[in-house]
Amino acid sequence: EIVLTQSPGTLSLSPGERATLSCRASQSVNSSYLAWYQQKPGQAPRLLLHGASTRATGIPDRFSGSGSGTDFTLTISRLEPEDFAVYYCHHFHTSRTFGRGTKVEIK
Amino acid sequence: QVQLVQSGPEVKKPGSSMKVSCKASGDTFSTYAISWVRQAPGQGLEWMGGIIPIFDKGTYAQRFQGRVTITADEGTRTVYLELSSLRSDDTAVYFCAKSTSWGYDSSGSRIFYAFDIWGQGTMITVSS
């Protein structure tokens, strides 16, 4: 089973700052099958990126993704107040697993 | 725009079964791929299984094999999740989610692509 490890567990930043979130796979994965979601308390997750770097419909361009093989990154270029949430990476092939999430909190 | 509306919260006894529904609006329901993802309180997301209604056969995560059944009713555009032999650690919010697409890999395994539409979630509490 492929394990996705997200780091850091919590990221404390101020609005306007840049956020860099990491997702590392226990073995090499096809980036076509890597997605990122945002989840706010009491809500369902929202798809941000699929294919590691393709923004989903309606997602602002301050969200970007990169990576290949075992290392993937979600970058939020300038944090807006509504971006403080938990972010999950997801490999939807073979093991179909999610990472444990990174919480982006207001510093 | 597709919408997924789930059934309401329930409290279940240990050892019993649960059945949660997910009703879809919009067209081409039969060719959607719908998955169930659960989230225990304060925890992360866990894929349980999924179905493509035209094939009428679910695909399940190994850890739930034998305990989970996912079915679809094309007439009512509803997907169901049944989970049996409930335990306290099955207490969670259960989400249905539609994939952007679906396909097969080289080994013939079904691929449920990223989830772009989610239901509102159904809280299931397992308690004696």
Side-chain angles (χ1 to χ4, degrees):
Chain A
E1 179 179 295
I2 295 173
V3 176
L4 300 178
T5 301
Q6 292 189 241
S7 61
T10 302
L11 199 51
S12 298
L13 294 168
S14 300
E17 289 194 292
R18 182 184 187 89
T20 303
L21 287 67
S22 171
C23 175
R24 177 163 290 176
S26 58
Q27 56 186 278
S28 184
V29 301
N30 186 327
S31 61
S32 298
Y33 304 133
L34 198 287
W36 289 92
Y37 301 86
Q38 175 194 69
Q39 188 179 32
K40 296 179 182 179
Q43 296 184 16
R46 178 173 73 143
L47 177 64
L48 296 176
L49 303 168
H50 56 94
S53 61
T54 301
R55 279 187 295 277
T57 303
I59 301 303
D61 60 8
R62 64 179 181 273
F63 291 92
S64 63
S66 63
S68 63
T70 59
D71 293 302
F72 297 89
T73 300
L74 169 67
T75 301
I76 310 171
S77 58
R78 291 176 313 280
L79 283 165
E80 297 288 341
E82 62 268 27
D83 298 337
F84 291 92
V86 180
Y87 293 83
Y88 294 96
C89 58
H90 173 212
H91 179 244
F92 49 86
H93 186 218
T94 55
S95 58
R96 305 181 180 105
T97 53
F98 292 86
R100 288 177 166 267
T102 291
K103 181 179 182 180
V104 178
E105 65 176 22
I106 299 177
K107 187 174 182 180
Chain B
Q1 173 76 339
V2 175
Q3 281 191 307
L4 302 176
V5 179
Q6 299 182 221
S7 49
E10 297 189 62
V11 178
K12 293 292 187 180
K13 299 285 190 190
S16 68
S17 297
M18 61 174 249
K19 189 171 185 177
V20 182
S21 68
C22 171
K23 187 173 177 64
S25 63
D27 56 5
T28 64
F29 169 77
S30 295
T31 57
Y32 292 163
I34 303 287
S35 289
W36 288 94
V37 176
R38 77 177 186 180
Q39 185 171 39
Q43 303 300 309
L45 302 166
E46 181 175 33
W47 184 81
M48 301 180 68
I51 193 168
I52 300 159
I54 55 168
F55 297 128
D56 199 31
K57 185 175 179 226
T59 302
Y60 305 114
Q62 192 166 8
R63 67 167 294 201
F64 296 105
Q65 289 274 5
R67 222 166 50 99
V68 66
T69 305
I70 297 174
T71 55
D73 183 334
E74 293 185 65
T76 60
R77 308 168 64 82
T78 303
V79 174
Y80 298 93
L81 168 72
E82 291 184 83
L83 188 63
S84 61
S85 303
L86 290 170
R87 308 183 290 255
S88 58
D89 63 358
D90 291 316
T91 294
V93 176
Y94 290 77
F95 294 101
C96 60
K98 172 193 156 295
S99 288
T100 57
S101 185
W102 57 270
Y104 295 92
D105 65 13
S106 56
S107 70
S109 295
R110 194 168 288 167
I111 305 172
F112 294 82
Y113 280 71
F115 306 133
D116 60 344
I117 306 291
W118 293 70
Q120 82 275 21
T122 297
M123 181 70 210
I124 300 295
T125 303
V126 182
S127 173
S128 55

